[in-house]
């Protein structure tokens, strides 16, 4: 079978590079085009020295790509830019977008959280939320898939089944998330310097102001059939990859464990650990896995859930490939069977 | 004035070394004896190469110290060992113990959490909890002071005033703590190897099983005048120093902010930041500071409090010096005015 | 074609885990047995939680393996142990050993550097040095292959062609190597604790006392046809993976560059960069690549060569798979085409 | 005695912050003015949150400082800017400059290495090289002191006595230096991002092109009384502080050791370790110490010297305070007796 021809738009960021890493050894895909407007024309060895040994297409501007020869495009641009660029692509081109532009169903909510009107409402209307564990059939059928926020997939995988089944108190969900810094991307800023980040930690987006909060609201409210408002606080840790979500809930730990174990028994990328276990982020690095552990609190009726992913894989580029596999009719796990790299 | 003559027992661990660092430049103390049973006789350059330029006493066994010449001893031994050793010291010697042995008022509770009977009940009866911001006069008057758990001082400084004043819901306190690894001490173990710790994070002591939980119970229950049971989860981060506590509470954020700002206006080592600010751990490294920030949640009646300390300073050796200053009649801030070292 | 059945002996160390990672996605191999004497019987989720999602054989003792069903065994045991264990294996079993036991041709030299007599001289006699770029045909033909020292492959790849062609001064070679800590293995020791290693660096094995020096001597002397004695100093860096060798030589930089570029033009895993470029270790992480850059010194007739590898891949388990591919008649690059993981 | 009134110009960089840290607890200095043109008017809590608890002057523009009230100014500006700003200061103001502007005696050489003409030749003529161990009396007498390059002080302390005494081969000196990233300052750049720096290492300034090379040339040539040209390669390590220089020389190790031990017997900040010892950078963090260890190579007549400093202290701000102490007639060690902070 011919390999699907893949374009990566916004190739020079970290999610773009991660897509190149994953697609390079994917049995059913090959990279046919790379676009990075700011870096167009530069040799790949300059943009990504770590990939300089690969025989890759020259990095061009998006408009220089002949999309007639492309089966699917990944788009790794920032929000707002993404909607403008994707709006200009052929309407029959399959697209997996990694930005926030097509995640929120309600344009008013998008406007509130992202500070500007949405300029591609028709695209937004057709987009499917790119969480295969909950939207598998919709993703198979769509031509535009919106990759989820990295914190959100980490939190939704444990929470959605519990909310759907009504086994936890919907008004008392606290999500305390810890992330590596690659999620913040490759643009320069003082706060991202090694000297500022190493050897310490901080909370940010406090009080429910981080934009991923809107995705939690949307998906948990949908799952519950009533409004769900979580407390969510992200933290920055001195590490590159990994998100660990510590989720405090009210509910019976055994019921929580059983609900999750049943729900994910057949999911290839979600692993529910035995009761009382807690997964480590360094143990999923480089893989598309989400590991979840449940522990009862000493007070009956309360539990702590720990969920881990690699933010650049299951939290971004890996999940994007998972969605692309579905959209292209390929095996869902193709190219994603890499074992975690530890240490 | 003559400098107080200080003995450091258990000098070869990280808290011991940190005591040496602090006492060395303390204007009112000098190191008169160093004991480390396992390392007795070894040159300091072998135990602590970083201190090899200092003119320090030879490291001896505890029983080799002539306590007649000592004004105050710091004891940096593990629990159980600490009570045995301190039990053998002269009864009029001033002692600041950094172990868990004398923190808990109720011997039954000690037994439950530490898995063995307490063998120095008379000492336990006279010990004062070493949190100067709440036990200042008791510490001045005692001859045995029990340094607090590192997570506990980080959590109690923001919580006790709120619990005392009744401005938060006592049944809905969640403390999500993140720590550097030095709190785990210097003994070898696979899980503490660089390769296992760097580039990732984990939760541990889940469900309220970490021993510091017992100190939260004791002190918050005392402050409230009724039983208080928190949810507390520590996390290990890939860094040496620092604890960041993210505390989720139900209460009015303005009232919380005002209560803390008022309570700590005159405390030299506790800094309450303006509403909405969140302190970073790397900004208190090497100092005895605790910084606290309050942010209202988007849901009225809920707030997030972030508290940071250096676990080896305010969380251990620095607070021990602060207590010793009180016990010796020296200025409370003596030797502790070092600015944070950043980056 | 049936996949080759692979045994991994000493599976619980870092090189063992790395072998599992690589073999898991190797198109021509499957893991048929895992042995780790100390950890035999333990669930893999305890030994290597990061691999707990894989369907792997139970970890057993070496003697429990039925080698009739095995095509090739990787042996990741420490030196001395390795020769004892391999001595007990069937004499027709293909073996790639990652220890130092079969690297040195002269048993007297082995004795000098490793402090004990060699107890498997017959095996040593048949072993081939596992550096495919120089011993490709010998490896294809052997049944016992001795993986190289990690520092050594990093240094030999740039040096051997220069020594063979006589383009550098054989008496003035300085190799200053920097390594991540995973090369030191997974056994516990104070000096390997996160707290001791992070945020600093040290030199060790000074003055030519590191054991890998003996391999440099052997291979460079062989390449030169006369005795070559290098200055070699390894350094430990606060990172998990990667070796960077900075090699100071006397010779013409253009000739050096040309010699290396020509020599490695067709080698799949050795990439010679354009003159004046210097590779980074983080850009080869997880891959089997060696990247080499040459820069002329400001003094004519001197040059600096920088060489990088991932010590666990090209420096250990990846190169072992490369050798195994040759021994099994599989494509040399099979299972080793993983792109570097950055960041 | 009144404390000397200190101005810090360029206060918002890392060396500026480090000066604040050191001066804050200096018994003979107090901070009277802080200037940072780009950040003037901003609250210190925004520029340096870690110092927000201190009662410091408002950060102003340099021209807003009334230098009549200042005894000595530290200048932490980049080269070129430094000469312009210092040229505008009162001619009787004592100044310690941390830039490269006044280090090189020959303006032509400055022009060659820094790419532009020197615009303050009169100032350059009066400046003294700020290496107290070799220019103590000149520093005492000067009013303008030029702090040394961080790599240079690390290399000159071991090398100058050997070159002066003629105990090493002047044509065969190789300096392989490893540094933390704080030496690169606080300005934003992609290559300084946490994601780019952590978990790897690189060589840069290869072939003798790093600007500090010019200082090595100047000072070693002066010490030798003939031209000395070293091979010098800096490397960036994933850590904040610390420089480790590995210096390869030809000479008798015993003579080298004896020369250094004798030369530094009375120097407060230079510690020569016993033969065969090698110091670690993490063991001098936060202190003004330089530790030096000598090891004989296995080939007679060759040796390896390892030298470590904290680049922000002995390599910049600490040495600047040491010079200022001399210029102000204060004890040379005042304010610099802080013990290293480990871990």
């Amino acid at each position: 079978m011919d390999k699907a021809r893949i374009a990566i738009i916004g190739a020079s960021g970290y999610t773009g590079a991660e897509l190149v890493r994953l697609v390079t050894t994917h049995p059913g895909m090959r990279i046919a085009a790379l676009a990075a407007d700011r870096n167009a024309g530069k040799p790949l060895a300059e943009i990504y020295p770590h990939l300089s040994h690969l025989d890759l297409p020259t990095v061009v501007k998006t408009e220089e790509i002949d999309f007639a020869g492309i089966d699917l495009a990944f788009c790794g641009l920032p929000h707002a830019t993404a909607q403008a660029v994707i709006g200009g692509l052929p309407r029959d081109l399959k697209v997996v977008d990694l930005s926030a532009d097509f995640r929120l169903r309600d344009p008013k909510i998008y406007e509130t959280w992202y500070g500007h009107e949405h300029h591609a409402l028709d695209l937004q209307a057709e987009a499917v939320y790119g969480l295969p564990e909950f939207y598998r059939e919709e993703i198979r059928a769509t031509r535009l898939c919106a990759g989820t926020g990295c914190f959100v997939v980490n939190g939704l995988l444990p929470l959605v089944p519990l909310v759907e089944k009504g086994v936890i108190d919907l008004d008392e969900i606290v999500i305390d998330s810890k992330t590596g810094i690659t999620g913040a991307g490759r643009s320069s800023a003082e706060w991202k310097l090694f000297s500022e980040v190493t050897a310490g930690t901080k909370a940010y987006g406090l009080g429910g102001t981080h934009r991923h909060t809107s995705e939690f609201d949307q998906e948990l409210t949908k799952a519950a059939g009533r409004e769900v408002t979580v407390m969510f606080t992200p933290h920055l840790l001195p590490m590159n990859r990994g998100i660990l979500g510590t989720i405090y809930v009210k509910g019976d730990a055994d019921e929580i464990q059983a609900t999750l174990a049943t729900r994910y028994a057949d999911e290839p990328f979600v692993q529910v650990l035995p009761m009382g276990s807690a997964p480590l982020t360094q143990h999923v690095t480089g893989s598309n896995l989400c590991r979840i552990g449940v522990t009862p609190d000493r007070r009956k009726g309360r539990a702590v859930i720990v969920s881990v992913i690699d933010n650049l894989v299951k939290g971004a580029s890996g999940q994007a490939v998972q969605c692309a596999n579905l959209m292209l009719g390929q095996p869902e796990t193709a190219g994603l069977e890499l074992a975690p790299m530890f240490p």
Side-chain angles (χ1 to χ4, degrees), chain A residues 171-194:
Chain A
D171 296 317
E172 301 293 338
I173 300 169
V174 172
I175 305 168
D176 189 284
S177 295
K178 296 89 177 165
T179 187
I181 197 173
T182 50
R186 207 186 191 190
S187 60
S188 295
E190 186 183 288
W191 71 270
K192 292 198 266 178
L193 296 181
F194 181 88

Side-chain angles (χ1 to χ4, degrees), chain A residues 3-341:
Chain A
K3 292 186 174 187
R5 294 156 301 178
I6 302 296
I8 300 174
I9 301 170
S12 61
Y14 292 142
T15 53
E18 189 69 356
L19 283 165
V20 175
R21 180 176 80 91
L22 295 171
V23 173
T24 293
T25 49
H26 192 296
M29 296 184 182
R30 67 176 178 84
I31 297 175
L34 292 172
D37 287 12
R38 208 165 41 87
N39 287 309
K42 282 193 201 161
L44 197 75
E46 192 177 316
I47 305 172
Y48 270 112
H50 71 288
L51 303 173
S52 65
H53 62 297
L54 295 175
D55 185 24
L56 291 170
T58 307
V59 176
V60 298
K61 289 181 187 295
T62 309
E63 64 260 32
E64 297 177 66
I65 299 177
D66 175 8
F67 285 99
I70 301 297
D71 295 303
L72 183 143
F74 291 103
C75 185
L77 298 171
H79 70 90
T81 307
Q83 58 187 254
V85 168
I86 295 173
L89 299 179
R91 288 293 151 136
D92 57 349
L93 178 69
K94 291 190 161 94
V95 175
V96 180
D97 179 36
L98 284 82
S99 85
D101 272 357
F102 301 105
R103 295 173 186 165
L104 298 176
R105 305 262 44 84
D106 182 340
K108 286 284 163 228
I109 290 178
Y110 179 86
E111 208 174 313
T112 304
W113 285 90
Y114 289 87
H116 61 88
E117 224 179 310
H118 201 293
H119 295 292
L121 295 177
D122 54 335
L123 292 174
Q124 195 192 28
E126 66 170 315
V128 169
Y129 196 62
L131 190 53
E133 286 76 10
F134 296 107
Y135 293 91
R136 184 163 282 127
E137 295 316 313
E138 293 89 333
I139 296 168
R140 258 194 244 280
T142 195
R143 74 123 203 136
L144 173 56
C145 182
T148 71
C150 52
F151 289 117
V152 191
V153 57
N154 180 262
L156 290 182
L157 285 170
L159 281 171
V160 167
L162 307 180
V163 165
E164 282 180 344
K165 295 283 182 195
V167 303
I168 58 170
D169 184 333
L170 298 177
D171 296 317
E172 301 293 338
I173 300 169
V174 172
I175 305 168
D176 189 284
S177 295
K178 296 89 177 165
T179 187
I181 197 173
T182 50
R186 207 186 191 190
S187 60
S188 295
E190 186 183 288
W191 71 270
K192 292 198 266 178
L193 296 181
F194 181 88
S195 295
E196 305 282 326
V197 172
T198 196
T201 187
K202 69 171 177 182
Y204 63 104
L206 286 149
T209 59
H210 189 284
R211 283 163 169 173
H212 288 183
T213 310
S214 61
E215 288 178 62
F216 278 120
D217 287 358
Q218 169 178 292
E219 296 300 313
L220 293 177
T221 293
K222 177 162 172 285
R226 53 151 276 196
E227 198 172 341
V228 177
T229 307
V230 300
M231 289 190 91
F232 165 56
T233 314
H235 298 76
L236 179 66
L237 270 57
M239 59 192 206
N240 264 338
R241 290 170 180 246
I243 292 178
L244 184 143
T246 311
I247 307 176
Y248 299 87
V249 295
K250 291 188 182 171
D252 180 73
D254 291 320
E255 206 178 347
I256 290 168
Q257 170 76 18
T259 303
L260 293 174
T262 304
R263 175 63 181 80
Y264 292 119
D266 297 325
E267 282 293 342
F269 297 119
V270 185
Q271 185 186 2
V272 179
L273 303 183
M275 178 71 98
S277 308
L280 285 72
T281 63
Q282 55 269 58
H283 291 164
V284 295
T285 301
S287 82
N288 201 47
L289 291 170
C290 176
R291 288 208 180 103
I292 301 171
V294 179
T295 305
D297 187 56
R298 55 184 181 150
R299 274 190 287 179
K300 215 174 145 44
R302 300 181 190 234
V304 190
I305 307 169
V306 176
S307 169
V308 302
I309 59 168
D310 180 329
N311 59 298
L312 285 183
V313 191
K314 186 60 181 165
S317 304
Q319 184 166 261
V321 170
Q322 190 181 351
C323 292
N325 284 339
L326 291 168
M327 294 163 74
L328 293 165
Q330 303 208 358
E332 186 172 340
T333 59
L336 296 171
E337 281 150 338
L338 303 173
M341 193 174 87

